Amino acid sequence: MNEENRLIVREFKGKIAQLMNQYNLLENEMEQLKTENLGLREQIKELEQVEVNLVNELENLKIAKIFASGYGDNQEAKQKINRLLREIDNCIALLNR
């Protein structure tokens, strides 16, 4: 092998080593991003549950306000109570399965 071929092989090996280093760095970064993504998905689930709880609490407060004030649309209150009862019935049916 002549000197020119040795230089080409040496350069080629150096470039392969650089590519391998870049690959390893990117692979590590990808793993970190996957972990971060998983954490963010969990946070989203928790926030969605908080939102559901707050919406339910708001509905309950609206119903309580209607009954406490003695004024307002009693039909609306009855509809909300009926909706809540249907939800409770659905939950009981699911539990009985």
Side-chain angles (χ1 to χ4, degrees):
M1 208 180 206
N2 64 22
E3 189 62 33
E4 185 179 327
N5 288 342
R6 286 185 186 142
L7 287 174
I8 291 172
V9 169
R10 191 175 303 140
E11 284 180 37
F12 186 68
K13 285 182 180 180
K15 289 182 180 184
I16 289 175
Q18 285 177 342
L19 286 174
M20 292 298 292
N21 286 336
Q22 285 179 331
Y23 172 80
N24 290 332
L25 289 173
L26 290 173
E27 196 172 50
N28 290 338
E29 182 180 355
M30 184 177 70
E31 287 301 317
Q32 290 173 349
L33 290 172
K34 283 182 180 180
T35 303
E36 181 181 352
N37 187 355
L38 186 60
L40 291 172
R41 287 178 187 266
E42 289 297 319
Q43 188 176 5
I44 287 171
K45 285 180 185 178
E46 290 171 7
L47 291 173
E48 286 173 344
Q49 186 59 45
V50 168
E51 178 189 17
V52 168
N53 292 340
L54 289 173
V55 167
N56 289 335
E57 187 177 341
L58 177 63
E59 289 297 317
N60 293 337
L61 288 172
K62 285 180 182 179
I63 292 170
K65 181 180 176 184
I66 289 170
F67 285 121
S69 68
Y71 300 105
D73 187 7
N74 286 336
Q75 184 65 26
E76 181 184 348
K78 287 179 184 178
Q79 288 174 348
K80 288 182 181 184
I81 290 171
N82 286 334
R83 183 182 49 79
L84 289 172
L85 289 174
R86 283 192 300 276
E87 286 181 26
I88 290 169
D89 288 341
N90 287 336
C91 290
I92 291 171
L94 289 172
L95 288 172
N96 287 332
R97 286 186 185 176

Short mmCIF file of all heavy atoms in Angstrom, two decimals, residues 1-53:
data_model
loop_
_atom_site.label_atom_id
_atom_site.label_comp_id
_atom_site.label_asym_id
_atom_site.label_seq_id
_atom_site.Cartn_x
_atom_site.Cartn_y
_atom_site.Cartn_z
N MET A 1 0.84 -1.17 0.00
CA MET A 1 0.00 0.00 0.00
C MET A 1 0.90 1.24 0.00
O MET A 1 1.79 1.36 0.81
CB MET A 1 -0.84 -0.04 1.27
CG MET A 1 -2.14 0.62 1.16
SD MET A 1 -3.00 0.47 2.74
CE MET A 1 -4.60 0.58 2.20
N ASN A 2 0.60 2.13 -0.88
CA ASN A 2 1.44 3.32 -0.94
C ASN A 2 0.94 4.36 0.06
O ASN A 2 -0.11 4.23 0.68
CB ASN A 2 1.51 3.87 -2.37
CG ASN A 2 0.16 4.35 -2.86
OD1 ASN A 2 -0.73 4.65 -2.07
ND2 ASN A 2 0.03 4.44 -4.17
N GLU A 3 1.69 5.41 0.19
CA GLU A 3 1.43 6.45 1.20
C GLU A 3 0.10 7.16 0.95
O GLU A 3 -0.63 7.47 1.88
CB GLU A 3 2.58 7.46 1.19
CG GLU A 3 2.56 8.46 2.31
CD GLU A 3 2.68 7.80 3.68
OE1 GLU A 3 3.36 6.77 3.83
OE2 GLU A 3 2.07 8.35 4.63
N GLU A 4 -0.23 7.39 -0.30
CA GLU A 4 -1.48 8.08 -0.63
C GLU A 4 -2.69 7.25 -0.19
O GLU A 4 -3.65 7.77 0.39
CB GLU A 4 -1.54 8.33 -2.14
CG GLU A 4 -2.75 9.13 -2.57
CD GLU A 4 -2.75 9.39 -4.06
OE1 GLU A 4 -1.68 9.53 -4.66
OE2 GLU A 4 -3.86 9.45 -4.61
N ASN A 5 -2.64 5.97 -0.41
CA ASN A 5 -3.73 5.08 0.01
C ASN A 5 -3.84 5.03 1.54
O ASN A 5 -4.95 4.99 2.08
CB ASN A 5 -3.54 3.67 -0.55
CG ASN A 5 -3.79 3.60 -2.04
OD1 ASN A 5 -4.42 4.49 -2.60
ND2 ASN A 5 -3.29 2.56 -2.68
N ARG A 6 -2.73 5.05 2.21
CA ARG A 6 -2.73 5.05 3.68
C ARG A 6 -3.40 6.32 4.21
O ARG A 6 -4.14 6.28 5.19
CB ARG A 6 -1.32 4.93 4.22
CG ARG A 6 -0.74 3.56 4.07
CD ARG A 6 0.61 3.46 4.73
NE ARG A 6 1.18 2.15 4.42
CZ ARG A 6 2.43 1.91 4.16
NH1 ARG A 6 3.31 2.90 4.18
NH2 ARG A 6 2.83 0.70 3.89
N LEU A 7 -3.09 7.46 3.61
CA LEU A 7 -3.71 8.72 4.01
C LEU A 7 -5.22 8.68 3.79
O LEU A 7 -6.00 9.13 4.64
CB LEU A 7 -3.10 9.89 3.25
CG LEU A 7 -1.69 10.30 3.65
CD1 LEU A 7 -1.16 11.39 2.71
CD2 LEU A 7 -1.68 10.79 5.09
N ILE A 8 -5.64 8.11 2.67
CA ILE A 8 -7.07 8.01 2.37
C ILE A 8 -7.76 7.12 3.40
O ILE A 8 -8.83 7.45 3.92
CB ILE A 8 -7.29 7.49 0.92
CG1 ILE A 8 -6.84 8.54 -0.09
CG2 ILE A 8 -8.74 7.12 0.69
CD1 ILE A 8 -6.83 8.06 -1.53
N VAL A 9 -7.14 6.00 3.71
CA VAL A 9 -7.71 5.07 4.69
C VAL A 9 -7.76 5.74 6.07
O VAL A 9 -8.77 5.62 6.79
CB VAL A 9 -6.89 3.76 4.74
CG1 VAL A 9 -7.29 2.90 5.93
CG2 VAL A 9 -7.06 2.98 3.44
N ARG A 10 -6.70 6.45 6.43
CA ARG A 10 -6.65 7.14 7.72
C ARG A 10 -7.77 8.20 7.81
O ARG A 10 -8.46 8.31 8.81
CB ARG A 10 -5.28 7.77 7.94
CG ARG A 10 -5.08 8.26 9.36
CD ARG A 10 -3.67 8.79 9.62
NE ARG A 10 -2.67 7.78 9.31
CZ ARG A 10 -1.50 8.02 8.71
NH1 ARG A 10 -1.17 9.25 8.37
NH2 ARG A 10 -0.65 7.06 8.47
N GLU A 11 -7.94 8.98 6.72
CA GLU A 11 -9.01 9.98 6.70
C GLU A 11 -10.38 9.31 6.79
O GLU A 11 -11.27 9.79 7.50
CB GLU A 11 -8.95 10.80 5.40
CG GLU A 11 -7.85 11.83 5.37
CD GLU A 11 -7.86 12.61 4.05
OE1 GLU A 11 -8.96 12.89 3.53
OE2 GLU A 11 -6.76 12.90 3.56
N PHE A 12 -10.52 8.22 6.08
CA PHE A 12 -11.78 7.48 6.10
C PHE A 12 -12.08 6.97 7.51
O PHE A 12 -13.21 7.10 8.00
CB PHE A 12 -11.71 6.33 5.09
CG PHE A 12 -12.99 5.60 4.91
CD1 PHE A 12 -14.09 6.21 4.33
CD2 PHE A 12 -13.12 4.28 5.33
CE1 PHE A 12 -15.28 5.53 4.16
CE2 PHE A 12 -14.29 3.59 5.18
CZ PHE A 12 -15.39 4.22 4.59
N LYS A 13 -11.07 6.42 8.18
CA LYS A 13 -11.26 5.94 9.56
C LYS A 13 -11.63 7.09 10.50
O LYS A 13 -12.47 6.95 11.38
CB LYS A 13 -9.99 5.25 10.06
CG LYS A 13 -9.77 3.89 9.49
CD LYS A 13 -8.52 3.24 10.07
CE LYS A 13 -8.27 1.87 9.51
NZ LYS A 13 -7.07 1.24 10.06
N GLY A 14 -10.98 8.24 10.29
CA GLY A 14 -11.29 9.41 11.11
C GLY A 14 -12.72 9.87 10.92
O GLY A 14 -13.43 10.20 11.88
N LYS A 15 -13.16 9.88 9.66
CA LYS A 15 -14.54 10.29 9.39
C LYS A 15 -15.54 9.28 9.95
O LYS A 15 -16.59 9.67 10.48
CB LYS A 15 -14.75 10.49 7.89
CG LYS A 15 -14.04 11.72 7.37
CD LYS A 15 -14.29 11.95 5.90
CE LYS A 15 -13.55 13.20 5.45
NZ LYS A 15 -13.80 13.53 4.06
N ILE A 16 -15.22 8.02 9.88
CA ILE A 16 -16.08 6.99 10.46
C ILE A 16 -16.16 7.17 11.97
O ILE A 16 -17.25 7.07 12.57
CB ILE A 16 -15.60 5.57 10.09
CG1 ILE A 16 -15.85 5.29 8.62
CG2 ILE A 16 -16.27 4.51 10.96
CD1 ILE A 16 -15.32 3.97 8.11
N ALA A 17 -15.03 7.46 12.59
CA ALA A 17 -15.02 7.69 14.05
C ALA A 17 -15.87 8.90 14.40
O ALA A 17 -16.64 8.88 15.38
CB ALA A 17 -13.59 7.87 14.55
N GLN A 18 -15.78 9.98 13.61
CA GLN A 18 -16.60 11.16 13.85
C GLN A 18 -18.09 10.83 13.72
O GLN A 18 -18.92 11.25 14.53
CB GLN A 18 -16.24 12.29 12.88
CG GLN A 18 -14.95 12.98 13.18
CD GLN A 18 -14.63 14.04 12.12
OE1 GLN A 18 -15.18 14.03 11.03
NE2 GLN A 18 -13.73 14.95 12.48
N LEU A 19 -18.42 10.08 12.67
CA LEU A 19 -19.81 9.68 12.46
C LEU A 19 -20.32 8.83 13.62
O LEU A 19 -21.47 8.99 14.06
CB LEU A 19 -19.98 8.93 11.15
CG LEU A 19 -19.92 9.77 9.88
CD1 LEU A 19 -19.94 8.87 8.64
CD2 LEU A 19 -21.11 10.73 9.85
N MET A 20 -19.50 7.94 14.11
CA MET A 20 -19.89 7.09 15.24
C MET A 20 -20.11 7.94 16.50
O MET A 20 -21.07 7.71 17.25
CB MET A 20 -18.84 6.00 15.51
CG MET A 20 -18.75 4.95 14.42
SD MET A 20 -20.27 4.01 14.21
CE MET A 20 -20.31 3.11 15.74
N ASN A 21 -19.24 8.92 16.72
CA ASN A 21 -19.42 9.81 17.86
C ASN A 21 -20.70 10.61 17.74
O ASN A 21 -21.46 10.75 18.71
CB ASN A 21 -18.22 10.76 18.00
CG ASN A 21 -16.99 10.06 18.55
OD1 ASN A 21 -17.09 9.05 19.23
ND2 ASN A 21 -15.82 10.60 18.23
N GLN A 22 -20.95 11.15 16.54
CA GLN A 22 -22.19 11.90 16.33
C GLN A 22 -23.41 11.01 16.52
O GLN A 22 -24.40 11.42 17.13
CB GLN A 22 -22.22 12.50 14.91
CG GLN A 22 -21.33 13.71 14.75
CD GLN A 22 -21.40 14.25 13.32
OE1 GLN A 22 -21.64 13.51 12.37
NE2 GLN A 22 -21.17 15.54 13.18
N TYR A 23 -23.32 9.78 16.02
CA TYR A 23 -24.42 8.82 16.19
C TYR A 23 -24.69 8.57 17.67
O TYR A 23 -25.84 8.58 18.11
CB TYR A 23 -24.09 7.52 15.46
CG TYR A 23 -25.07 6.42 15.73
CD1 TYR A 23 -26.29 6.37 15.06
CD2 TYR A 23 -24.79 5.42 16.66
CE1 TYR A 23 -27.20 5.37 15.31
CE2 TYR A 23 -25.70 4.41 16.92
CZ TYR A 23 -26.91 4.39 16.24
OH TYR A 23 -27.80 3.40 16.50
N ASN A 24 -23.64 8.35 18.43
CA ASN A 24 -23.79 8.09 19.86
C ASN A 24 -24.38 9.29 20.59
O ASN A 24 -25.25 9.14 21.46
CB ASN A 24 -22.46 7.68 20.49
CG ASN A 24 -22.02 6.30 20.06
OD1 ASN A 24 -22.83 5.44 19.73
ND2 ASN A 24 -20.71 6.09 20.03
N LEU A 25 -23.93 10.50 20.23
CA LEU A 25 -24.48 11.71 20.84
C LEU A 25 -25.97 11.86 20.52
O LEU A 25 -26.78 12.16 21.39
CB LEU A 25 -23.71 12.94 20.36
CG LEU A 25 -22.28 13.11 20.88
CD1 LEU A 25 -21.60 14.28 20.19
CD2 LEU A 25 -22.28 13.30 22.39
N LEU A 26 -26.30 11.63 19.26
CA LEU A 26 -27.71 11.74 18.86
C LEU A 26 -28.57 10.66 19.51
O LEU A 26 -29.72 10.91 19.88
CB LEU A 26 -27.83 11.67 17.33
CG LEU A 26 -27.30 12.89 16.57
CD1 LEU A 26 -27.33 12.63 15.07
CD2 LEU A 26 -28.11 14.13 16.91
N GLU A 27 -28.01 9.49 19.65
CA GLU A 27 -28.75 8.41 20.31
C GLU A 27 -29.02 8.75 21.78
O GLU A 27 -30.12 8.55 22.28
CB GLU A 27 -27.96 7.10 20.20
CG GLU A 27 -28.77 5.87 20.50
CD GLU A 27 -28.01 4.60 20.18
OE1 GLU A 27 -26.85 4.48 20.64
OE2 GLU A 27 -28.57 3.75 19.48
N ASN A 28 -28.02 9.31 22.46
CA ASN A 28 -28.21 9.74 23.84
C ASN A 28 -29.24 10.86 23.94
O ASN A 28 -30.09 10.86 24.83
CB ASN A 28 -26.88 10.20 24.45
CG ASN A 28 -25.92 9.06 24.69
OD1 ASN A 28 -26.32 7.91 24.80
ND2 ASN A 28 -24.64 9.38 24.74
N GLU A 29 -29.17 11.80 23.01
CA GLU A 29 -30.13 12.91 23.00
C GLU A 29 -31.55 12.38 22.77
O GLU A 29 -32.50 12.82 23.40
CB GLU A 29 -29.75 13.92 21.92
CG GLU A 29 -30.66 15.12 21.87
CD GLU A 29 -30.28 16.10 20.78
OE1 GLU A 29 -29.25 15.91 20.11
OE2 GLU A 29 -31.04 17.08 20.60
N MET A 30 -31.66 11.41 21.88
CA MET A 30 -32.96 10.81 21.60
C MET A 30 -33.53 10.14 22.85
O MET A 30 -34.71 10.27 23.16
CB MET A 30 -32.87 9.80 20.46
CG MET A 30 -34.22 9.23 20.06
SD MET A 30 -34.16 8.10 18.66
CE MET A 30 -33.32 6.70 19.39
N GLU A 31 -32.71 9.44 23.58
CA GLU A 31 -33.16 8.79 24.82
C GLU A 31 -33.62 9.82 25.84
O GLU A 31 -34.63 9.65 26.52
CB GLU A 31 -32.06 7.91 25.40
CG GLU A 31 -31.82 6.62 24.63
CD GLU A 31 -33.06 5.75 24.55
OE1 GLU A 31 -33.76 5.59 25.56
OE2 GLU A 31 -33.33 5.22 23.45
N GLN A 32 -32.88 10.92 25.95
CA GLN A 32 -33.27 11.99 26.87
C GLN A 32 -34.60 12.60 26.44
O GLN A 32 -35.47 12.87 27.28
CB GLN A 32 -32.20 13.07 26.91
CG GLN A 32 -30.93 12.65 27.61
CD GLN A 32 -29.82 13.70 27.48
OE1 GLN A 32 -29.94 14.64 26.71
NE2 GLN A 32 -28.75 13.51 28.23
N LEU A 33 -34.78 12.80 25.14
CA LEU A 33 -36.02 13.37 24.64
C LEU A 33 -37.20 12.41 24.83
O LEU A 33 -38.31 12.84 25.15
CB LEU A 33 -35.89 13.74 23.16
CG LEU A 33 -34.97 14.93 22.87
CD1 LEU A 33 -34.76 15.08 21.36
CD2 LEU A 33 -35.53 16.21 23.47
N LYS A 34 -36.94 11.12 24.69
CA LYS A 34 -37.99 10.14 24.94
C LYS A 34 -38.42 10.18 26.41
O LYS A 34 -39.61 10.12 26.72
CB LYS A 34 -37.52 8.72 24.58
CG LYS A 34 -37.52 8.44 23.12
CD LYS A 34 -37.07 7.00 22.87
CE LYS A 34 -37.06 6.66 21.40
NZ LYS A 34 -36.63 5.27 21.15
N THR A 35 -37.44 10.28 27.30
CA THR A 35 -37.75 10.35 28.73
C THR A 35 -38.52 11.62 29.04
O THR A 35 -39.52 11.59 29.77
CB THR A 35 -36.44 10.30 29.55
OG1 THR A 35 -35.73 9.11 29.23
CG2 THR A 35 -36.72 10.37 31.03
N GLU A 36 -38.10 12.74 28.46
CA GLU A 36 -38.79 14.00 28.67
C GLU A 36 -40.21 13.93 28.11
O GLU A 36 -41.16 14.40 28.75
CB GLU A 36 -38.02 15.13 28.00
CG GLU A 36 -38.64 16.50 28.18
CD GLU A 36 -37.87 17.60 27.47
OE1 GLU A 36 -36.76 17.34 26.95
OE2 GLU A 36 -38.37 18.73 27.44
N ASN A 37 -40.35 13.33 26.94
CA ASN A 37 -41.66 13.17 26.31
C ASN A 37 -42.59 12.36 27.20
O ASN A 37 -43.75 12.72 27.41
CB ASN A 37 -41.49 12.49 24.95
CG ASN A 37 -42.78 12.45 24.15
OD1 ASN A 37 -43.83 12.84 24.61
ND2 ASN A 37 -42.67 11.95 22.94
N LEU A 38 -42.08 11.28 27.76
CA LEU A 38 -42.89 10.44 28.65
C LEU A 38 -43.33 11.23 29.88
O LEU A 38 -44.49 11.17 30.29
CB LEU A 38 -42.08 9.20 29.06
CG LEU A 38 -42.81 8.15 29.87
CD1 LEU A 38 -43.99 7.60 29.09
CD2 LEU A 38 -41.86 7.03 30.24
N GLY A 39 -42.41 12.00 30.45
CA GLY A 39 -42.74 12.82 31.60
C GLY A 39 -43.80 13.86 31.27
O GLY A 39 -44.73 14.09 32.05
N LEU A 40 -43.68 14.47 30.10
CA LEU A 40 -44.66 15.47 29.69
C LEU A 40 -46.03 14.84 29.43
O LEU A 40 -47.06 15.43 29.74
CB LEU A 40 -44.17 16.22 28.44
CG LEU A 40 -42.97 17.14 28.67
CD1 LEU A 40 -42.44 17.68 27.34
CD2 LEU A 40 -43.34 18.28 29.60
N ARG A 41 -46.04 13.63 28.87
CA ARG A 41 -47.31 12.93 28.66
C ARG A 41 -47.99 12.64 30.00
O ARG A 41 -49.21 12.79 30.13
CB ARG A 41 -47.11 11.65 27.88
CG ARG A 41 -46.80 11.87 26.42
CD ARG A 41 -46.56 10.54 25.70
NE ARG A 41 -46.11 10.74 24.36
CZ ARG A 41 -46.91 10.78 23.30
NH1 ARG A 41 -48.20 10.65 23.45
NH2 ARG A 41 -46.41 10.97 22.09
N GLU A 42 -47.21 12.24 30.98
CA GLU A 42 -47.76 11.99 32.32
C GLU A 42 -48.31 13.28 32.91
O GLU A 42 -49.38 13.30 33.52
CB GLU A 42 -46.70 11.39 33.24
CG GLU A 42 -46.33 9.96 32.92
CD GLU A 42 -47.51 9.01 33.09
OE1 GLU A 42 -48.27 9.15 34.06
OE2 GLU A 42 -47.66 8.12 32.24
N GLN A 43 -47.59 14.36 32.71
CA GLN A 43 -48.03 15.66 33.22
C GLN A 43 -49.34 16.08 32.54
O GLN A 43 -50.24 16.62 33.19
CB GLN A 43 -46.94 16.71 32.98
CG GLN A 43 -47.21 18.04 33.64
CD GLN A 43 -46.06 19.02 33.45
OE1 GLN A 43 -45.08 18.73 32.75
NE2 GLN A 43 -46.16 20.16 34.08
N ILE A 44 -49.45 15.82 31.25
CA ILE A 44 -50.68 16.13 30.53
C ILE A 44 -51.84 15.34 31.10
O ILE A 44 -52.93 15.88 31.31
CB ILE A 44 -50.51 15.87 29.01
CG1 ILE A 44 -49.63 16.93 28.38
CG2 ILE A 44 -51.86 15.82 28.30
CD1 ILE A 44 -49.21 16.65 26.95
N LYS A 45 -51.62 14.05 31.35
CA LYS A 45 -52.69 13.21 31.93
C LYS A 45 -53.13 13.76 33.28
O LYS A 45 -54.32 13.82 33.57
CB LYS A 45 -52.22 11.76 32.08
CG LYS A 45 -52.15 11.00 30.79
CD LYS A 45 -51.68 9.58 31.04
CE LYS A 45 -51.49 8.83 29.74
NZ LYS A 45 -50.99 7.46 29.96
N GLU A 46 -52.16 14.15 34.10
CA GLU A 46 -52.49 14.69 35.42
C GLU A 46 -53.28 15.99 35.29
O GLU A 46 -54.27 16.20 35.99
CB GLU A 46 -51.22 14.94 36.23
CG GLU A 46 -50.51 13.68 36.67
CD GLU A 46 -49.15 13.95 37.28
OE1 GLU A 46 -48.79 15.14 37.50
OE2 GLU A 46 -48.43 12.98 37.55
N LEU A 47 -52.86 16.85 34.37
CA LEU A 47 -53.55 18.13 34.17
C LEU A 47 -54.95 17.92 33.60
O LEU A 47 -55.89 18.65 33.95
CB LEU A 47 -52.74 19.05 33.27
CG LEU A 47 -51.44 19.59 33.89
CD1 LEU A 47 -50.63 20.36 32.86
CD2 LEU A 47 -51.73 20.46 35.10
N GLU A 48 -55.10 16.93 32.73
CA GLU A 48 -56.44 16.62 32.21
C GLU A 48 -57.36 16.16 33.33
O GLU A 48 -58.53 16.52 33.37
CB GLU A 48 -56.36 15.57 31.10
CG GLU A 48 -55.81 16.11 29.80
CD GLU A 48 -55.57 15.05 28.74
OE1 GLU A 48 -55.53 13.83 29.09
OE2 GLU A 48 -55.42 15.40 27.56
N GLN A 49 -56.82 15.35 34.24
CA GLN A 49 -57.62 14.89 35.37
C GLN A 49 -57.99 16.06 36.28
O GLN A 49 -59.11 16.14 36.77
CB GLN A 49 -56.87 13.81 36.17
CG GLN A 49 -57.69 13.19 37.27
CD GLN A 49 -58.95 12.53 36.75
OE1 GLN A 49 -58.93 11.81 35.77
NE2 GLN A 49 -60.06 12.77 37.41
N VAL A 50 -57.05 16.97 36.49
CA VAL A 50 -57.34 18.17 37.29
C VAL A 50 -58.45 18.97 36.62
O VAL A 50 -59.37 19.45 37.28
CB VAL A 50 -56.06 19.02 37.47
CG1 VAL A 50 -56.39 20.39 38.03
CG2 VAL A 50 -55.07 18.31 38.39
N GLU A 51 -58.36 19.10 35.30
CA GLU A 51 -59.39 19.84 34.56
C GLU A 51 -60.76 19.19 34.74
O GLU A 51 -61.75 19.88 35.01
CB GLU A 51 -59.04 19.90 33.08
CG GLU A 51 -60.10 20.63 32.26
CD GLU A 51 -59.89 20.51 30.76
OE1 GLU A 51 -59.14 19.62 30.32
OE2 GLU A 51 -60.50 21.32 30.05
N VAL A 52 -60.82 17.87 34.61
CA VAL A 52 -62.10 17.17 34.80
C VAL A 52 -62.64 17.42 36.20
O VAL A 52 -63.84 17.70 36.37
CB VAL A 52 -61.92 15.65 34.53
CG1 VAL A 52 -63.12 14.86 35.00
CG2 VAL A 52 -61.66 15.41 33.05
N ASN A 53 -61.77 17.33 37.19
CA ASN A 53 -62.20 17.56 38.57
C ASN A 53 -62.71 18.98 38.76
O ASN A 53 -63.72 19.20 39.44
CB ASN A 53 -61.06 17.27 39.55
CG ASN A 53 -60.71 15.80 39.60
OD1 ASN A 53 -61.49 14.94 39.22
ND2 ASN A 53 -59.50 15.50 40.06
#
